[in-house]
Amino acid sequence: LAKTTQPISMDSYEGQEVNITCSHNNIATNDYITWYQQFPSQGPRFIIQGYKTKVTNEVASLFIPADRKSSTLSLPRVSLSDTAVYYCLVVSNTGFQKLVFGTGTRLLVSP
Amino acid sequence: DTAVSQTPKYLVTQMGNDKSIKCEQNLGHDTMYWYKQDSKKFLKIMFSYNNKELIINETVPNRFSPKSPDKAHLNLHINSLELGDSAVYFCASSQGINLDGYEQYFGPGTRLTVT
């Protein structure tokens, strides 16, 4: 599975849009990009998954350029409750699913 | 209406003891997992079971023995506990084992402290 690299931490204020970029230079053709969110003292929670271009759901948007070597998780108008660790993962479309978590990005949203 | 539940939430024990953590999911999923999150917050998969059969074993010491009595349960038994076993253990489940059932649902975690 491709290794992912993302910023260790980010700061934002309520109401702002937050973009967290993840690089995965060695992503394979069968790989998808998945993002999870983890609040303190809780288990991770699935946010969004995509293969290319743009994916949007009620929580976030995921932008993946044509070369798929990076991806950007976009959180619109963050609130204090969005303070969490965000993990970018690469998952394969073949074989057994195994989530390999990196260090994640610790997002702190301030008033 | 808990999806993935774990008991106990906290577990404090002494070195050398044997302990178990239970996990249950009511989502009807076929695949269950155990993850370990250490003090540095690194989250790493330990085991995965699909329809009660072991499919992933990530070089975990033999002291750790998962048991899946049925698809809805995956328990983790740990023998001869060591200080380094102190961590938060998360149970998770997913509908399948490939991308069609990719989304994993995590439990609230069990914080194990070995003294």
Side-chain angles (χ1 to χ4, degrees), chain B:
Chain B
D1 198 18
T2 305
V4 181
S5 59
Q6 298 177 224
T7 53
K9 188 169 177 61
Y10 300 96
L11 184 54
V12 181
T13 188
Q14 292 184 328
M15 285 176 55
N17 286 347
D18 303 338
K19 291 293 179 185
S20 293
I21 306 172
K22 294 185 177 181
C23 177
E24 177 182 2
Q25 54 94 4
N26 62 6
L27 298 167
H29 288 167
D30 288 339
T31 308
M32 297 185 72
Y33 312 80
W34 275 108
Y35 288 82
K36 178 182 179 181
Q37 188 164 42
D38 61 23
S39 58
K40 296 183 178 180
K41 303 298 183 184
F42 289 114
L43 190 61
K44 189 173 181 181
I45 189 168
M46 300 173 68
F47 300 101
S48 176
Y49 270 72
N50 176 255
N51 284 318
K52 301 192 300 175
E53 289 192 16
L54 180 68
I55 57 173
I56 294 175
N57 183 340
E58 287 292 304
T59 319
V60 178
N62 292 335
R63 299 182 295 105
F64 291 79
S65 53
K67 285 185 172 53
S68 182
D70 54 58
K71 286 196 319 183
H73 297 83
L74 181 61
N75 304 322
L76 184 64
H77 187 77
I78 314 170
N79 290 326
S80 304
L81 279 156
E82 300 177 356
L83 293 176
D85 297 332
S86 295
V88 180
Y89 291 85
F90 289 101
C91 176
S93 73
S94 65
Q95 187 174 358
I97 58 174
N98 55 32
L99 201 64
D100 288 338
Y102 57 82
E103 182 178 345
Q104 292 190 17
Y105 294 78
F106 284 77
T110 296
R111 183 174 294 277
L112 171 64
T113 302
V114 182
T115 61

Side-chain angles (χ1 to χ4, degrees), chain A residues 88-103:
Chain A
C88 166
L89 300 94
V90 169
V91 295
S92 176
N93 190 22
T94 58
F96 300 129
Q97 285 301 303
K98 184 172 73 173
L99 298 183
V100 179
F101 287 84
T103 55

Side-chain angles (χ1 to χ4, degrees), chain A residues 35-47:
Chain A
W35 286 80
Y36 278 75
Q37 172 192 55
Q38 185 177 23
F39 296 114
S41 301
Q42 293 186 26
R45 183 177 71 122
F46 171 85
I47 302 177

